[in-house]
Amino acid sequence: MSADIATPNDAVFSIAAKTYLCSGVMMPNGGGMYFGYPTPQGTKADFRTLTKGIVASTIHELETTGFLQLGQGTFKALIGSSPVLTIKAVYSGAPGFSGRFLEATQWVETDLITLMSRLLRREQAPMIDFLDDISLEFVEAGILARGGYGAHKNAWNAEWLAYLQSAWHPEVYETWNASHARADFALIERNVMHAVGGAQHTERDD
């Protein structure tokens, strides 16, 4: 975070939280009836695209700043195996979701599918709960009052929202584009969706 960007109570936010806050100006209005997630700006973003983008941006920033090291391996399941991104946390101390991401490695080399399985709740729509959890950084900072499931009826401090959107957008835009240009971006996408599929609770699971 640039030293000249003010935050409420000098809080430090993760790149995930910054991306969440800027999502309405970063992403086209979309998602339709089933996949639209209300952004802070009042439009809707496809929650699948936003979730995968937040994870990729987090990985990119944490690798770039030396908090983690990446490799590739194989995830073995009952019906075959699939390529997987491996993650080794090097340092602790990253803010917000970035810190939780590192902690989810349990401080041993792990793979992205296992790591995301630890971060996702077992719900019918785990990505919505995942995004709701990202927004808690702003609740803790006192600039967001949660309205309920899926960001519906959330109430933001309008002045902070406008200011931080403008201040953070260049960083978020740069990180988003850099993460999507990574050679391993498609692998990150597949690993995230694999974890989501495993976390998704249906009536048949009862």
Side-chain angles (χ1 to χ4, degrees):
M1 182 183 70
S2 175
D4 59 353
I5 297 178
T7 58
N9 300 314
D10 295 323
V12 181
F13 294 89
S14 68
I15 189 64
K18 295 175 183 179
T19 304
Y20 182 99
L21 184 137
C22 294
S23 57
V25 292
M26 280 279 300
M27 301 175 63
N29 191 18
M33 181 183 299
Y34 298 107
F35 299 109
Y37 185 89
T39 69
Q41 291 74 27
T43 58
K44 288 190 176 183
D46 187 305
F47 63 69
R48 300 162 299 180
T49 303
L50 182 55
T51 295
K52 291 181 287 186
I54 280 176
V55 174
S57 291
T58 297
I59 289 171
H60 183 76
E61 183 182 75
L62 289 174
E63 183 188 34
T64 301
T65 53
F67 277 92
L68 57 75
Q69 297 173 348
L70 301 175
Q72 293 192 19
T74 301
F75 182 86
K76 296 181 180 180
L78 293 176
I79 50 174
S81 59
S82 56
V84 72
L85 192 71
T86 60
I87 298 171
K88 180 180 179 181
V90 179
Y91 300 110
S92 60
F97 175 74
S98 293
R100 291 197 289 120
F101 188 89
L102 293 170
E103 290 168 4
T105 67
Q106 299 182 353
W107 306 108
V108 296
E109 185 175 84
T110 189
D111 63 83
L112 183 57
I113 295 174
T114 300
L115 188 156
M116 286 301 300
S117 297
R118 293 168 180 163
L119 292 170
L120 292 166
R121 293 191 237 164
R122 188 170 175 77
E123 299 285 354
Q124 188 172 1
M127 285 186 280
I128 292 179
D129 291 285
F130 174 83
L131 293 173
D132 282 352
D133 288 344
I134 298 292
S135 76
L136 291 176
E137 292 188 40
F138 300 107
V139 176
E140 293 166 358
I143 62 172
L144 170 63
R146 285 281 299 276
Y149 176 73
H152 292 284
K153 299 183 180 179
N154 278 359
W156 289 83
N157 178 300
E159 292 183 2
W160 275 116
L161 176 59
Y163 169 74
L164 292 174
Q165 173 190 303
S166 176
W168 286 344
H169 183 257
E171 175 190 356
V172 168
Y173 183 78
E174 179 180 356
T175 305
W176 180 275
N177 286 337
S179 66
H180 281 66
R182 293 174 61 97
D184 57 6
F185 178 73
L187 180 61
I188 292 171
E189 284 191 301
R190 290 195 299 270
N191 287 178
V192 169
M193 295 310 296
H194 189 134
V196 168
Q200 196 159 25
H201 172 81
T202 68
E203 292 180 358
R204 290 175 295 176
D205 295 327
D206 293 332

